[in-house]
């Protein structure tokens, strides 16, 4: 009896490993397919964010468990809420869901839908994460997107304000700014590659609530929101 139980458990774990490996391949292929579509439209390629992948996988499993394919979870919360639950600070996010025999058919379905295609082709997206779960008809795939421009952030508290050093993972085509308590602050310094930025916000606060944004061609996009506390 002990031997049979052990064999069953081991076989179950092997099966889960095989399914996970297959799902990981489906997830990677989904990103490749979406980036290929974006390249056709001269849009930036999306970077895979590990946290977004966790969010997408978790929600894909929950959709299967509930038997409901919806952008709203059990509590009525959407994708932005789910992303921010991980500690991410993005203020803009999107999501597409679908089921089908394989990832190519699912992505083709998204492309054929005007609303879904608008999400896929949004020029503001910088990162993505995909979650795929096997279902009887093939796969259920959840793909989430976010706009994140600044990769790292360093802060220094001074007697008369706070200095923030920002680094962008790619050269910006627009003008970055910070928004704090009703005022905008432009960069004091910008590197030659347009990737490093130095900001100063005057004041003597213990807590700073800051929005990061980029303005280009009359369009303003807010990318991140953070809270900086003085220790």
């Amino acid at each position: 009896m002990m031997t049979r139980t052990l064999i069953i458990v081991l076989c179950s774990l092997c099966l889960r490993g095989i399914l996970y490996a297959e799902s990981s391949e489906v997830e990677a292929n989904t990103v490749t397919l979406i980036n290929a579509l974006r390249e056709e439209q001269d849009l930036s390629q999306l970077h895979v964010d590990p946290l977004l992948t966790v969010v997408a996988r978790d929600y894909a499993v929950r959709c299967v468990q509930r038997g409901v394919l919806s952008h709203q979870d059990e509590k009525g919360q959407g994708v932005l809420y789910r992303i921010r639950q991980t500690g991410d600070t993005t203020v803009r996010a999107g999501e597409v869901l679908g089921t089908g025999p394989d990832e190519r058919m699912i992505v083709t379905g998204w492309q054929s839908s005007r609303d879904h295609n608008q999400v896929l082709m949004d020029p503001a997206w910088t990162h993505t994460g995909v979650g795929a779960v096997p279902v009887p008809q093939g796969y259920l795939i959840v793909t989430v997107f976010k706009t994140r421009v600044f990769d790292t952030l360093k802060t220094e508290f001074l007697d008369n304000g706070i200095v923030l050093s920002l680094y962008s993972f790619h050269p910006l085509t627009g003008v970055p700014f910070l928004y704090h308590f009703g005022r905008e602050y432009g960069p004091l310094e910008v590197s030659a590659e347009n990737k490093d930025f130095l900001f100063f916000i005057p004041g003597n606060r213990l807590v700073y609530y800051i929005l990061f944004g980029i303005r280009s061609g009359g369009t303003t996009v807010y990318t991140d929101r953070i809270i900086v506390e003085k220790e």
Side-chain angles (χ1 to χ4, degrees), residues 1-223:
M1 188 69 176
M2 291 290 292
T3 303
R4 176 180 294 181
T5 302
L6 180 60
I7 291 174
I8 291 174
V9 171
L10 288 176
C11 289
S12 175
L13 290 174
C14 290
L15 179 59
R16 288 172 59 187
I18 292 171
L19 291 176
Y20 180 77
E22 291 178 352
S23 295
S24 296
E25 184 177 354
V26 169
E27 292 164 358
N29 290 342
T30 301
V31 175
T32 299
L33 291 168
I34 293 173
N35 272 332
L37 294 176
R38 290 176 64 87
E39 185 176 15
E40 292 176 1
Q41 301 299 319
D42 294 323
L43 297 174
S44 62
Q45 298 291 280
L46 302 176
H47 300 261
V48 175
D49 185 308
L51 279 180
L52 291 189
T53 300
V54 171
V55 171
R57 286 175 175 172
D58 176 72
Y59 194 60
V61 171
R62 289 163 63 185
C63 285
V64 172
Q65 292 173 339
R66 293 170 61 202
V68 177
L69 193 63
S70 170
H71 292 290
Q72 306 299 317
D73 64 16
E74 305 91 329
K75 298 180 180 180
Q77 300 289 352
V79 62
L80 183 59
Y81 174 83
R82 295 193 291 274
I83 291 175
R84 293 185 68 87
Q85 287 298 102
T86 68
D88 196 289
T89 61
T90 188
V91 295
R92 191 168 188 270
E95 179 182 65
V96 288
L97 317 171
T99 59
D102 56 47
E103 62 272 27
R104 186 173 295 276
M105 292 293 291
I106 294 173
V107 172
T108 299
W110 290 336
Q111 185 185 17
S112 302
S113 164
R114 188 183 70 172
D115 291 342
H116 289 81
N117 192 60
Q118 284 180 346
V119 177
L120 297 180
M121 298 296 106
D122 193 320
W125 301 140
T126 58
H127 291 76
T128 188
V130 179
V133 177
V135 293
Q137 61 269 42
Y139 286 93
L140 184 150
I141 297 180
V142 175
T143 304
V144 296
F145 308 87
K146 73 174 182 181
T147 300
R148 184 167 187 115
V149 176
F150 302 113
D151 237 12
T152 60
L153 169 67
K154 295 181 180 179
T155 60
E156 180 182 359
F157 281 88
L158 305 178
D159 291 337
N160 61 339
I162 184 175
V163 176
L164 299 98
S165 300
L166 306 181
Y167 170 78
S168 173
F169 69 93
H170 61 74
L172 297 184
T173 56
V175 179
F177 65 91
L178 303 183
Y179 186 82
H180 173 71
F181 276 96
R183 292 191 59 183
E184 289 186 6
Y185 299 90
L188 299 178
E189 297 179 8
V190 180
S191 67
E193 299 83 7
N194 207 32
K195 294 178 68 174
D196 297 277
F197 307 92
L198 186 68
F199 292 86
F200 174 74
I201 298 179
N204 188 21
R205 299 177 180 273
L206 296 177
V207 182
Y208 289 79
Y209 300 90
I210 303 170
L211 277 174
F212 301 140
I214 300 174
R215 185 171 289 110
S216 178
T219 301
T220 299
V221 177
Y222 293 101
T223 66

